[in-house]
Amino acid sequence: MSHDAGAADTADANGAVGGAPLLEVRDLAVEFRTREGVARAVNGVSYSVNAGETLAVLGESGSGKSVTAQAIMGILDTPPGRVAGGRVLFRGRDLLTAPEEERRRLRGERMAMIFQDALSSLNPVLSVGYQLGEMFRVHRGASRREARDRAVELMDRVRIPAARERVNDYPHQFSGGMRQRIMIAMALALEPDLIIADEPTTALDVTVQAQVMELLAELQREFRMGLILITHDLGVVADVADRIAVMYAGRIVETAPVKELYAAPAHPYTKGLLESIPRLDHKGKELYAIKGLPPNPLNIPPGCPFHPRCPRAVDICVRERPALEPPAPGRTSACHFREEVIDDRA
Ligand SMILES: Nc1ncnc2c1ncn2[C@@H]1O[C@H](COP(=O)(O)OP(=O)(O)OP(=O)(O)O)[C@@H](O)[C@H]1O
Ligand code: SF4
Ligand SMILES: [Mg+2]
């Protein structure tokens, strides 16, 4: 393995209950070979998600949220990217080493992904009904007519008004919010066990964002799917997620049930993120901004990667990378002072 394996990250980060989690990512490393050198975009990520659970993945731009998702789904841009180590266990089967045929089946049928930009994910020259129906023709051997009927049903499911009349329309004839509903319908078509949604509402107006997110959360509960929700929006997270994993410089730095994380973060980076959002109950208090910039993946600082920006940093932080360990049951934090941070209710 070519990534820095100096200090051991504890693998099962999330206190999964009831046997093997639906998806478990262990110490995943992804690097990109660039002209300037090797960019370590994902540096030992470990997280897991259970059936019926929503895990939100949070972190600044460039922290490796999307690249992790791409490696899980097998859609990494290779080259220049490559998985440099780790495991991606889906119901216990390693998607990185399973035979090609099995991998394709699992990723094509049991897992689905929703992207931010529906317009570039849908084919502009095919009707949405055709594209939805194709899932049933290809994977379920449905006839054209059956496929069309299933497409209409799906459009109804995601509450596209007048679905039967609109089934022959093209993507550009739908609004952004409706297109994103169509993307959700596509993802749901084969009733997958896991959906990864990468900033699924970022491109939409605020009111439409809330509606689409509500729909996704509702369908997730109804189908009892595991959902990995990648988002910048801490408000959304509080409403729909069960647990949060916070990423920094290609690693998970904290995981916790949502309420616990909001009430008392156990990592200074999480604390900074929470203090930098406006809150109704904190009126008048000045907003805190985390100083400095996230590290360049070509040159990640030694020791704790957050140390150049951390208000608590001391000598040991520069020398030793903290492992991801529990400061309390069901939680993890990669900070040498995790217990003190969690107790610090300033
Ligand atoms: N094709 C690529 N070639 C080189 N580097 C890449 C490539 N794709 C991603 N990276 C690098 O990997 C790192 C992680 O990127 P990633 O897209 O996962 O970030 P992210 O957390 O999803 O950020 P955002 O919130 O902006 O979507 C970044 O530093 C990025 O520059
Ligand atoms: S280990 Fe040190 S630098 Fe890193 S987050 Fe904790 S206090 Fe800050
Ligand atoms: Mg991203």
Side-chain angles (χ1 to χ4, degrees):
M1 237 189 297
S2 59
H3 75 288
D4 169 18
D9 278 326
T10 314
D12 182 13
N14 302 313
V17 281
L22 177 62
L23 179 84
E24 186 180 2
V25 178
R26 276 196 211 155
D27 212 18
L28 184 71
V30 179
E31 55 188 37
F32 290 94
R33 291 189 182 277
T34 70
R35 243 175 306 166
E36 293 83 39
V38 177
R40 298 188 203 288
V42 175
N43 239 323
V45 160
S46 300
Y47 62 54
S48 66
V49 60
N50 296 314
E53 181 184 52
T54 297
L55 174 76
V57 179
L58 212 71
E60 282 166 301
S61 189
S63 57
K65 305 180 295 296
S66 296
V67 169
T68 302
Q70 288 157 10
I72 294 169
M73 291 301 294
I75 52 170
L76 196 64
D77 190 11
T78 312
R82 90 182 175 97
V83 174
R87 309 180 76 184
V88 175
L89 302 168
F90 184 78
R91 297 196 184 288
R93 290 289 291 166
D94 191 347
L95 292 174
L96 301 178
T97 55
E100 177 65 25
E101 167 74 28
E102 185 182 354
R103 266 189 278 176
R104 233 197 318 228
R105 189 172 46 75
L106 289 174
R107 283 170 169 153
E109 302 208 359
R110 308 303 344 133
M111 306 162 71
M113 188 146 176
I114 301 170
F115 300 93
Q116 175 179 326
D117 184 4
L119 208 48
S120 64
S121 310
L122 291 165
N123 188 328
V125 301
L126 297 172
S127 72
V128 300
Y130 184 89
Q131 294 181 64
L132 284 167
E134 199 170 27
M135 304 289 286
F136 300 106
R137 286 193 305 277
V138 171
H139 293 273
R140 298 283 183 264
S143 68
R144 285 193 73 126
R145 189 192 195 105
E146 283 164 348
R148 185 58 53 113
D149 288 346
R150 298 300 303 275
V152 173
E153 269 170 43
L154 273 175
M155 288 168 73
D156 273 332
R157 278 312 277 263
V158 296
R159 298 200 211 105
I160 292 178
R164 192 158 288 278
E165 285 87 75
R166 301 214 63 186
V167 67
N168 293 323
D169 285 358
Y170 293 88
H172 73 267
Q173 293 173 282
F174 291 85
S175 68
M178 288 298 149
R179 277 199 295 267
Q180 208 57 351
R181 285 167 192 263
I182 292 162
M183 288 305 299
I184 294 174
M186 288 272 231
L188 287 174
L190 304 176
E191 300 190 11
D193 302 313
L194 176 75
I195 288 190
I196 304 181
D198 192 352
E199 313 256 6
T201 61
T202 308
L204 307 173
D205 293 341
V206 178
T207 45
V208 181
Q209 278 188 3
Q211 292 160 5
V212 171
M213 191 53 71
E214 240 164 67
L215 173 74
L216 183 60
E218 186 188 310
L219 292 165
Q220 179 267 332
R221 280 193 296 272
E222 192 180 320
F223 286 82
R224 274 197 57 75
M225 293 177 299
L227 174 65
I228 297 176
L229 179 64
I230 299 172
T231 178
H232 281 112
D233 189 337
L234 282 148
V236 160
V237 168
D239 290 338
V240 302
D242 299 299
R243 276 185 309 122
I244 302 193
V246 181
M247 280 193 78
Y248 188 79
R251 284 200 178 84
I252 302 295
V253 295
E254 173 160 11
T255 65
V258 172
K259 288 198 179 73
E260 294 181 32
L261 182 128
Y262 275 65
H267 193 284
Y269 176 62
T270 314
K271 211 163 166 336
L273 282 182
L274 292 178
E275 284 168 4
S276 60
I277 51 162
R279 282 171 47 165
L280 290 173
D281 54 335
H282 278 210
K283 246 187 213 144
K285 269 200 190 175
E286 215 171 296
L287 275 189
Y288 167 86
I290 302 170
K291 66 171 188 188
L293 293 171
N296 179 344
L298 289 164
N299 187 17
I300 295 174
C304 172
F306 188 54
H307 83 254
R309 304 174 73 190
C310 181
R312 288 184 101 100
V314 291
D315 287 359
I316 187 181
C317 305
V318 183
R319 290 192 314 269
E320 276 178 42
R321 177 153 64 80
L324 187 63
E325 282 173 355
R331 307 186 52 166
T332 61
S333 162
C335 172
H336 291 303
F337 304 101
R338 52 183 82 74
E339 284 89 3
E340 286 105 275
V341 178
I342 206 173
D343 283 338
D344 172 20
R345 314 271 163 102

